[in-house]
Amino acid sequence: MERKVRVRFAPSPTGPLHIGGVRTALYNYLFAKKHGGDFLLRVEDTDQTRYVKGAEDYILEALKWCGITPDEGVGVGGEYGPYRQSERKEAGIYKKYVDQLVESGNAYYAFDTSEELDQMRENLKAAGVAAPQYNANSRNSMKNSLTLSAEEVQKRLDAGEPHVVRVKIPRNEEIKFQDLIRGWVVVHSANLDDKVLFKSDGMPTYHMANVVDDYMMKITHVIRGEEWLPSGPLHVLLYRFLGWEDVMPEFAHLPLILKPDGHGKLSKRDGDRLGFPVFPIEWKAPDGEISSGYREAGYFSEAHINMLAFLGWNPGTPQEIFSLEGLTEAFTLERVGKSGAKFDPDKTKWFNEQYLRAKTNEELAQLVKPLVEEKGYTYSNDDFLASVCDLMKERATFVQDLLNDNYLFVAPTAYDEKTLRKKWKENTPSIINELRLILEGISDFNSTNIETEFKAFLERNELGFGAVLPGFRLLVTGAGMGPSMFDICSLLGKEETLARIDSGLNKVGQLKEALQNG
Ligand code: GLU
């Protein structure tokens, strides 16, 4: 029978979610939605030593900001809960399966102390073994239920002696599974060690809890980062040992996200060091240290998601802009690459620019409004803000960039020195004064009329743009460059434009003189 697609994102709350983790969540989400399935959020908190306060809340908030909404799991609930592994352990869920593995001879008790483990490693090193492990060879000389008598084992268990449970990796066997991204993965059992499944503190390890939970939560596809590929063979063995082979999920191991130069994995430490965030939202560590986030840097969450989707996947067409729904439709695991995807901070900005430009001026006006108010700028109405956004959006990456130039709100108090030096000539004031008369005579002061009159003025006086426009811009905006002057003047209105020319002519004249004398 076809099983309903069920996938999970299973982060460990050991710190903030790095964008690689968000991408894993996203691909899981897209795959689930594409197939009409369920997307679960499970918190894997079995390693108490690595638990970081605030990390779980951070994960929930980051996913929420990204619009990656779980159907089931922590923060949502569902019929396969609890979804936090620490709570599942409390409920005694794992113990029974560990016991089952010991009974069937696929796992065993090990009583070795840490000194004895160190000794074993040293002995093996001395004998020339490069990477000593607790495995099919070394286990025979250790203190475990394979080497001790049944009575001895029972005695130790009854006495409450600290012990772990280890998986008994079979000798001399090829373990195979098909990865949806990598194809066949074949590993010889001689390369695997007898991993601990159950710790002395009564907690299952990642491997045990992960497999048991995937089985119990009816997970059909395990989509996770490449760093978990080496765990694949052990997980496949556990499915077999527990008799769950017929419902074993399919595996898909996602490619790494690499540093911008392609050298090595993009790490949590790279972000602020290389000048861009590696976290979806800002993270404040328990010690107070702050790491920047995409949200706080001014990115739209849609742009962030769109960018992440392309780190390792492509639609096979030139289309680059996709909404979450569009991604859901286009996404397939077949189009996820095997090789690492280089993170490109410029492309990330490019995505944000596309989303900014796609917004209507009215939408942008609402976004820019609180910033305008924060700066204390006055403005007539929302239409004015919309026009400001229209004018500025071609040069902006973020909403806050729409206010990079403040001359649409306040008259200039400073004037671009380079323009003043190079473009302000002796005859500029008289040309501007004549232009002023023309402007004053325009009854309907809109961009088209201003442009028509301005051009006619140039023609009549046989002047080029370069002889008039820079000085004109300098007086009205204080800047050397910017969007269309006709649009700017029309937005400021006739009165303000003329006032700026009048007061500017004086100031600019004095500045020019000072420059010449200085
Ligand atoms: N808890 C693991 C992690 O932190 C989950 C790996 C998996 O998806 O199996 O990434």
Side-chain angles (χ1 to χ4, degrees):
M1 194 186 74
E2 260 305 273
R3 293 203 295 161
K4 182 179 190 191
V5 166
R6 283 172 61 81
V7 297
R8 84 306 194 268
F9 177 51
S12 297
T14 54
L17 200 57
H18 157 275
I19 51 173
V22 183
R23 187 199 56 177
T24 300
L26 174 66
Y27 285 9
N28 272 286
Y29 172 87
L30 295 176
F31 185 80
K33 297 298 121 186
K34 166 121 189 179
H35 294 97
D38 298 326
F39 169 63
L40 282 71
L41 174 64
R42 183 172 76 222
V43 170
E44 301 206 328
D45 56 351
T46 52
D47 191 348
Q48 298 288 302
T49 57
R50 296 184 61 219
Y51 180 82
V52 172
K53 201 166 163 274
E56 186 186 298
D57 288 343
Y58 177 95
I59 293 167
L60 294 176
E61 197 184 335
L63 293 181
K64 193 167 159 207
W65 179 64
C66 294
I68 304 173
T69 319
D71 299 296
E72 222 177 284
V74 171
V76 191
E79 55 177 301
Y80 296 89
Y83 294 93
R84 235 178 245 110
Q85 287 185 332
S86 55
E87 289 171 28
R88 300 177 66 74
K89 181 247 154 189
E90 287 306 317
I93 286 174
Y94 306 110
K95 178 79 172 63
K96 120 170 172 224
Y97 295 110
V98 176
D99 291 346
Q100 188 185 322
L101 287 172
V102 174
E103 257 154 54
S104 61
N106 291 305
Y108 58 91
Y109 299 112
F111 300 94
D112 316 277
T113 62
S114 53
E115 292 75 32
E116 286 163 340
L117 291 170
D118 288 346
Q119 189 61 50
M120 176 264 282
R121 285 187 207 105
E122 259 165 52
N123 292 348
L124 285 174
K125 262 194 195 150
V129 177
Q133 286 185 323
Y134 205 117
N135 62 15
N137 293 325
S138 60
R139 68 189 174 212
N140 298 320
S141 50
M142 301 304 287
K143 233 185 263 162
N144 55 49
S145 56
L146 302 174
T147 58
L148 301 170
S149 69
E151 298 82 65
E152 174 70 17
V153 170
Q154 199 50 53
K155 213 169 85 199
R156 286 172 185 254
L157 291 178
D158 291 343
E161 192 172 311
H163 64 277
V164 298
V165 177
R166 288 182 181 272
V167 64
K168 189 178 169 200
I169 295 289
R171 236 172 219 292
N172 205 13
E173 195 189 305
E174 277 198 334
I175 300 146
K176 284 192 214 164
F177 65 93
Q178 202 166 21
D179 186 279
L180 293 170
I181 294 169
R182 277 141 223 280
W184 281 106
V185 177
V186 186
V187 175
H188 196 275
S189 64
N191 295 315
L192 302 180
D193 62 333
D194 287 2
K195 284 254 181 309
V196 172
L197 299 178
F198 217 63
K199 294 181 281 189
S200 49
D201 63 2
M203 272 286 201
T205 57
Y206 154 72
H207 302 289
M208 187 68 202
N210 186 271
V211 166
V212 168
D213 287 349
D214 282 348
Y215 165 76
M216 292 184 74
M217 295 178 185
K218 296 199 165 57
I219 298 302
T220 57
H221 298 78
V222 167
I223 304 169
R224 62 185 171 194
E226 186 180 284
E227 63 273 29
W228 302 103
L229 186 60
S231 302
L234 170 60
H235 296 183
V236 168
L237 280 178
L238 289 176
Y239 276 97
R240 193 211 295 169
F241 294 160
L242 289 160
W244 300 336
E245 261 178 319
D246 55 332
V247 289
M248 185 171 85
E250 296 201 62
F251 291 97
H253 288 92
L254 306 174
L256 293 176
I257 298 181
L258 306 175
K259 294 183 206 302
D261 65 6
H263 294 306
K265 186 176 159 182
L266 183 70
S267 83
K268 289 191 175 185
R269 283 170 305 282
D270 282 332
D272 289 325
R273 188 174 67 81
L274 298 174
F276 54 84
V278 289
F279 299 115
I281 61 179
E282 188 177 274
W283 163 249
K284 192 163 178 227
D287 67 4
E289 198 196 334
I290 295 201
S291 306
S292 67
Y294 280 88
R295 181 178 68 183
E296 290 72 15
Y299 283 87
F300 294 118
S301 84
E302 300 91 324
H304 180 59
I305 284 302
N306 197 155
M307 173 280 281
L308 282 182
F310 273 75
L311 281 178
W313 169 86
N314 72 75
T317 66
Q319 187 183 342
E320 288 183 282
I321 302 300
F322 284 88
S323 64
L324 197 56
E325 294 74 45
L327 286 171
T328 302
E329 217 162 280
F331 186 79
T332 61
L333 284 173
E334 287 77 49
R335 296 211 63 88
V336 174
K338 284 194 201 43
S339 47
K342 262 194 247 172
F343 182 76
D344 181 348
D346 294 331
K347 190 75 190 190
T348 303
K349 286 191 176 151
W350 178 87
F351 273 110
N352 212 61
E353 286 160 8
Q354 307 313 306
Y355 277 83
L356 185 102
R357 279 164 214 167
K359 295 216 184 286
T360 65
N361 297 327
E362 289 68 31
E363 284 169 326
L364 290 174
Q366 292 312 312
L367 295 174
V368 92
K369 206 170 181 172
L371 306 180
V372 171
E373 274 155 22
E374 213 171 276
K375 285 182 186 276
Y377 296 156
T378 49
Y379 58 95
S380 47
N381 53 32
D382 285 7
D383 287 349
F384 175 82
L385 287 187
S387 304
V388 170
C389 295
D390 186 33
L391 216 52
M392 296 302 188
K393 69 180 178 189
E394 280 309 310
R395 292 154 189 269
T397 302
F398 304 108
V399 168
Q400 62 264 34
D401 294 344
L402 296 167
L403 298 180
N404 274 352
D405 296 308
N406 64 358
Y407 51 73
L408 293 173
F409 298 93
V410 285
T413 49
Y415 296 88
D416 180 61
E417 198 179 304
K418 200 168 146 210
T419 314
L420 195 58
R421 273 182 201 284
K422 297 207 164 142
K423 306 281 180 179
W424 195 267
K425 302 277 157 53
E426 216 167 303
N427 63 348
T428 308
S430 68
I431 296 177
I432 299 279
N433 268 322
E434 282 181 46
L435 174 66
R436 188 198 183 287
L437 281 177
I438 303 295
L439 296 174
E440 198 174 6
I442 301 174
S443 52
D444 186 0
F445 202 70
N446 64 39
S447 180
T448 319
N449 290 347
I450 302 169
E451 181 169 1
T452 311
E453 290 300 325
F454 183 87
K455 285 183 176 160
F457 169 77
L458 293 186
E459 214 163 290
R460 275 199 306 280
N461 296 287
E462 293 182 7
L463 291 165
F465 264 88
V468 189
L469 203 60
F472 179 37
R473 183 185 294 283
L474 192 68
L475 290 174
V476 177
T477 70
M481 279 183 314
S484 151
M485 272 310 288
F486 314 121
D487 290 342
I488 292 175
C489 292
S490 128
L491 198 55
L492 293 174
K494 184 153 77 177
E495 205 182 314
E496 176 69 12
T497 304
L498 298 181
R500 287 188 185 191
I501 291 177
D502 295 341
S503 70
L505 270 171
N506 253 331
K507 290 186 213 155
V508 167
Q510 284 166 9
L511 284 173
K512 179 76 183 184
E513 220 169 285
L515 271 183
Q516 275 162 345
N517 299 335

